[in-house]
Amino acid sequence: MTGLTEHADLILDGTKIGWHQDRIEAWERGERIAPITIDMALTRACNYGCHFCYAMLQENDRKTITKEVITNFLEDCAEIGVKGISFVSDGESTISPVFVDACKKGHELGLSMACGTNGFVLTKRKLEEVLPSLTYLRINISAGERDRYGEIMGVKPDYFDRVCQNIRDMVAIKKRDNLKVTIGLQMVLMPEYADQILPLAKLGKELRPDYLVIKHCSDNEDGDLGVDYSKYAAIYDTLREAEAMSDDEYKVVVKWSKIDSTGQRSYQRCYGAPFMIQLSGSGLVAPCGMLFNERYKKFHMGNICDERFRDIWASDRYWEVMNYLAGPDFNAQKMCGSLCLQHKVNEFLDGYQKERIALPDLNGKIEPQHINFV
């Protein structure tokens, strides 16, 4: 299979936290563990205006992540034991002037580096520079037709043509140089985008990335994006038809576990944050993106533009917030938005704490791909 190791799973609907048992056991002992994965942005700015964008709801005090700031941050991450860093979060990291340098520096330090992007500025020259440093590159593309792409993604329809060409180029560079990077497409599916499921699955079959993942749309606790989770059920047949377009080298994967959950959580405590935190493109360090907004200031733990990340991580403030989220005064069912980044990690750790889930026996098992992105 092109780009996908024949013996290693690519887990797109689930969690790989069970493969990090040393970190789980240290957490159980009450140790101050380093995050396995950090999801962050290099800027709050974006050149798109996607209608489904959660980041619009999470404005905070903007500061600039400079080359010095990101270099210090990456060095701190490598020092304390962070394993993977994904440039996704609440801004379009590829438009930051430090993007390429940050990917290269993190890779040099032994960190797994990844990026989620609209792909517009990733022209061939920039792709040649950055692809060798990445574990995965995921293009957010929620339509398979030009005009609907423009409507849903909040841009001119001809942006679609440029992004498609950029995807062709990244696939060609990967194949030419036999790179290990996984190239994927992602559709953030609101029920009203159902008409684009099959055109996008067909487009993926033509462009030949490794996969297309179709995922739910998260909303905040006030429902400001207006996601009607009850309407997903009506498009299940269409989603299955899209999955059937998979072949040996291209997979269409629906995140059924989240789409099927109708936005509900089975747990109350947030145990996942110490394992997987998020940083805003403003440099803000918070447990997760749903808490970036200024009104959640009591959960904010520092800013890498003002102080070193290693000092923020080692601070009592950082661990007071983490302990509060895992404690009896916090209820994720009532105090959080729907289906957050840590949702699957939380499900696993909640089941483990309640002895419903055991740590898997890893003897003789081949580790999944992208293991450092839990």
Side-chain angles (χ1 to χ4, degrees), residues 4 8 26 35 41 44 50 78 90 125 134 166 185 188-189 194 216 219 222 235 246 250 254 306 308 316 324 361:
L4 299 184
R44 280 279 293 137
C50 302
D90 62 344
R125 182 189 60 78
L134 296 178
N166 290 346
L185 309 182
V188 178
L189 176 64
H216 66 289
D219 209 340
D222 298 324
I235 54 180
S246 300
Y250 165 66
V254 177
D306 299 328
R308 295 290 292 250
D316 289 341
Y324 173 74
D361 180 1

Side-chain angles (χ1 to χ4, degrees), residues 291-304:
L291 299 175
F292 284 164
N293 193 288
E294 281 297 297
R295 62 177 166 156
Y296 302 118
K297 214 169 182 66
K298 70 177 184 177
F299 297 106
H300 296 173
M301 302 178 293
N303 191 302
I304 61 169

Side-chain angles (χ1 to χ4, degrees), residues 143-171:
E145 298 171 326
R146 290 177 90 251
D147 290 343
R148 285 290 277 144
Y149 179 91
E151 291 169 10
I152 293 169
M153 306 290 282
V155 292
K156 295 175 182 177
D158 61 6
Y159 278 38
F160 177 78
D161 302 323
R162 176 164 161 175
V163 170
C164 287
Q165 185 56 51
N166 290 346
I167 294 168
R168 289 187 192 96
D169 288 340
M170 64 185 70
V171 170

Side-chain angles (χ1 to χ4, degrees), residues 3 10 40 58 102 126 145 157 168 254 258 260 271 276 287 294 307 316 347 367 374:
L10 181 65
M40 66 181 295
Q58 298 296 353
K126 191 170 279 191
E145 298 171 326
R168 289 187 192 96
V254 177
K258 286 191 174 183
D260 222 16
Y271 295 128
M276 187 182 197
E294 281 297 297
E307 58 186 313
D316 289 341
E347 280 188 336
E367 68 179 42
V374 295

